[in-house]
């Protein structure tokens, strides 16, 4: 019995000691922050420390590449390390400008290359293992079979009305329209929703969903140089333009009342008598955009296919004229029809008004202003006639036109 009592007492002591082990660990007990014997040292989040590696350098275009479009950038990248130096030169030793990014992971050229040139890339870097590495690569740019140029309307520095589309005219047809759109960079402040629409294979316009807001700043960068726009067809040179959207001027010419109402920034400022197209020469109905403004301009029916010396032809000089369409629709001064203005339509399709009112219109407005013709008895304005962009509903516009 005494032996049993001793065993029980010994067990109670052991339980008492075990029940106190939730306090500070004893010096002999390992803690979670200490590696077990023979184990790998780990960080506080239990993930292994990254192993040092040699830097991996890569160049685009690839080494020995040929027929590279000179509008494409050269890039040099570093993985598992950083770039320390990059030098790119052409066959004549002329350097290509560029810069290494602040994080040291990428170098990119900052200027276009030349056609039919060979370039050499020398790049150096350092890996996370601290060891240097270098790379040399070369490539050649394409010799273009044909080059294509582009012009931009409006031009740099102009202030235009709220209806002005951005029109791009190429010197020949563009087979790769997606590549062309990618090269035409448009920036606006504030940002607006807009899209491209191809009227012809060599003509594309960009316009916002709704009329521009006055004060909008527009920057156009037609960066077509060196870009492949079709089989062996490359852009010749870039075009740039910075444009400001002016005040909102809208004229509504009504063929039924023979009156034109003009508003500025949505406030009616004047109503003037007019005369529009007579029978068989009805002015097309629709939303026009003022294309150009002229003074002392000769109105010539021959510009739209009617010889001046034929029946119905004319060649008349006017003091003020603003073009509304390529087919010959203008608003212009017409002192010879003052009696008919406000009473009957007697023109060959143009909007006649007094010299005083025509001059006033040009003074308050600019190219890009909206000019609406309604109740004229004429057919609808064709969207391709001049800048009839607003004749195309947005749902149709975003489909891109003649792709």
């Amino acid at each position: 019995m005494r032996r049993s009592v001793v065993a029980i007492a010994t067990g109670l002591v052991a339980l008492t000691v075990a029940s106190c082990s939730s306090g500070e660990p004893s010096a002999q007990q390992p803690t979670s922050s200490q590696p077990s014997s023979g184990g790998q040292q780990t960080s506080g989040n239990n993930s292994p420390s990254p192993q040092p590696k040699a830097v991996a350098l890569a160049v685009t275009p690839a080494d020995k590449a040929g027929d590279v479009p000179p509008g494409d950038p050269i890039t040099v990248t570093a993985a598992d390390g950083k770039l320390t130096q990059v030098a790119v030169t052409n066959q004549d030793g002329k350097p290509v400008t560029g810069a290494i990014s602040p994080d040291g992971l990428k170098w990119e050229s900052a200027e276009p290359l030349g056609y039919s040139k060979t370039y050499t890339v020398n790049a150096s870097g350092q890996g996370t293992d601290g060891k240097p590495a270098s790379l040399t690569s070369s490539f050649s740019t394409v010799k273009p079979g044909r080059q294509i140029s582009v012009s931009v309307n409006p031009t740099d520095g102009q202030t235009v009305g709220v209806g002005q589309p951005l029109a791009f005219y190429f010197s020949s047809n563009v087979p790769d329209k997606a590549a062309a759109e990618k090269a035409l960079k448009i920036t606006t402040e504030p940002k607006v929703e807009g899209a491209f629409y191809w009227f012809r294979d060599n003509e594309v316009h960009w316009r916002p969903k709704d009329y521009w807001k006055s004060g909008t700043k527009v920057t156009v960068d037609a960066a077509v140089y060196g870009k492949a726009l079709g089989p062996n067809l490359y852009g010749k040179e870039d075009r740039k333009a910075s444009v400001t959207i002016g005040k909102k001027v809208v004229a509504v010419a009504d063929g039924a009342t023979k009156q034109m109402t003009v508003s500025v920034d949505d406030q009616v400022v004047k109503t003037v008598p007019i005369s529009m197209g007579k029978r068989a020469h009805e002015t097309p109905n629709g939303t026009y955009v003022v294309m150009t403004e002229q003074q002392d301009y000769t109105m010539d029916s021959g510009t739209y296919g009617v010889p001046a010396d034929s029946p119905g032809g004319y060649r008349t000089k006017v003091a003020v004229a603003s073009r509304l369409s390529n087919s010959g629709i203008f608003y212009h001064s017409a002192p010879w029809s003052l009696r008919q203005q406000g009473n009957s339509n007697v023109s060959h399709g143009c909007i006649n008004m007094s010299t005083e009112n025509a001059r006033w219109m040009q003074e308050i407005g600019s190219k890009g202003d909206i000019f609406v013709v309604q109740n004229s008895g004429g057919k609808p304005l064709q969207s391709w006639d001049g800048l009839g962009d607003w004749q195309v509903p947005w749902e149709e516009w975003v489909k891109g036109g003649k792709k």
Side-chain angles (χ1 to χ4, degrees):
M1 291 296 295
R2 180 180 296 178
R3 183 176 299 170
S4 298
V5 171
V6 172
I8 291 171
T10 303
L12 290 172
V13 172
L15 287 172
T16 302
V17 172
S19 67
C20 296
S21 65
S22 60
E24 292 296 324
S26 64
Q28 291 78 21
Q29 290 178 312
T31 66
S32 60
S33 62
Q34 293 177 321
S36 58
S37 60
Q40 185 178 2
Q41 179 71 37
T42 62
S43 63
N45 60 5
N46 294 324
S47 61
S49 299
Q51 293 295 319
K53 294 182 179 180
V55 66
L57 303 175
V59 178
T60 303
D63 188 30
K64 310 303 181 187
D67 292 337
V68 173
D72 293 351
I74 308 169
T75 60
V76 183
T77 59
D80 299 317
K82 293 184 177 182
L83 295 168
T84 54
Q85 186 176 1
V86 176
V88 180
T89 56
N90 68 10
Q91 60 207 39
D92 302 318
K94 181 181 178 181
V96 176
T97 60
I100 297 175
S101 60
D103 59 12
L105 300 180
K106 184 178 181 180
W107 181 95
E108 184 168 289
S109 56
E111 64 177 315
L113 308 179
Y115 284 111
S116 306
K117 298 282 187 180
T118 299
Y119 291 85
T120 300
V121 181
N122 290 290
S124 301
Q126 185 177 48
T128 56
D129 59 2
K131 297 179 180 179
S134 61
L135 174 150
T136 298
S137 178
S138 65
F139 63 90
S140 59
T141 56
V142 70
K143 180 180 180 180
R146 292 188 299 136
Q147 294 186 56
I148 185 172
S149 59
V150 64
S151 60
V152 180
N153 179 29
T155 56
D156 186 50
Q158 289 189 316
T159 296
V160 297
V162 298
Q164 179 72 50
L166 308 176
F168 302 89
Y169 305 95
F170 290 88
S171 58
S172 64
N173 291 345
V174 180
D176 192 341
K177 293 178 173 60
E181 291 181 15
K182 185 178 180 181
L184 303 176
K185 300 177 176 64
I186 297 161
T187 307
T188 66
E189 179 58 43
K191 188 175 181 179
V192 300
E193 180 182 2
F196 286 104
Y197 187 91
W198 291 83
F199 285 95
R200 302 171 184 84
D201 286 333
N202 68 333
E203 180 183 348
V204 62
H205 295 192
W206 190 99
R207 73 161 172 88
K209 182 179 180 180
D210 303 303
Y211 295 153
W212 297 99
K213 290 184 178 180
S214 296
T216 300
K217 302 295 184 181
V218 184
T219 301
V220 176
D221 183 6
V224 299
Y225 172 79
K227 301 296 194 307
L229 302 178
N232 210 18
L233 177 66
Y234 292 84
K236 186 175 183 179
E237 59 184 339
D238 296 344
R239 298 288 186 186
K240 295 185 179 182
S242 294
V243 179
T244 301
I245 307 301
K247 57 183 177 291
K248 182 179 181 181
V249 177
V250 178
V252 179
D254 194 302
T257 64
K258 286 75 175 175
Q259 300 290 321
M260 181 180 70
T261 302
V262 182
S263 63
V264 177
D265 295 332
D266 298 318
Q267 299 295 318
V268 174
V269 294
K270 195 171 187 179
T271 299
V272 301
I274 58 171
S275 180
M276 294 202 291
K278 60 188 176 182
R279 186 180 297 274
H281 295 276
E282 292 88 349
T283 309
N285 284 302
T287 301
Y288 297 75
V289 173
V290 176
M291 300 174 64
T292 59
E293 296 180 322
Q294 291 93 13
Q295 296 81 40
D296 298 323
Y297 184 78
T298 299
M299 309 294 298
D300 188 345
S301 61
T303 61
Y304 60 91
V306 180
D309 56 359
S310 67
Y314 57 87
R315 184 180 289 116
T316 305
K317 188 173 183 178
V318 298
V320 180
S322 291
R323 180 179 288 275
L324 299 178
S325 78
N326 285 332
S327 59
I329 305 298
F330 287 74
Y331 80 74
H332 64 82
S333 55
W336 60 85
S337 67
L338 286 177
R339 288 187 179 183
Q340 290 79 26
Q341 292 169 24
N343 298 303
S344 60
N345 292 323
V346 297
S347 82
H348 288 82
C350 291
I351 293 88
N352 287 184
M353 61 187 75
S354 70
T355 301
E356 179 185 13
N357 286 329
R359 185 169 286 119
W360 172 80
M361 276 292 297
Q362 283 194 353
E363 288 174 352
I364 68 161
S366 63
K367 64 177 286 185
D369 289 342
I370 296 295
F371 202 105
V372 179
V373 172
Q374 63 187 26
N375 302 320
S376 68
K379 296 179 180 180
L381 170 68
Q382 298 296 312
S383 62
W384 43 261
D385 188 2
L387 299 176
D389 300 47
W390 300 99
Q391 289 293 96
V392 182
W394 180 249
E395 294 74 18
E396 183 66 25
W397 184 275
V398 294
K399 294 179 183 178
K402 188 178 181 180
K403 290 282 192 173

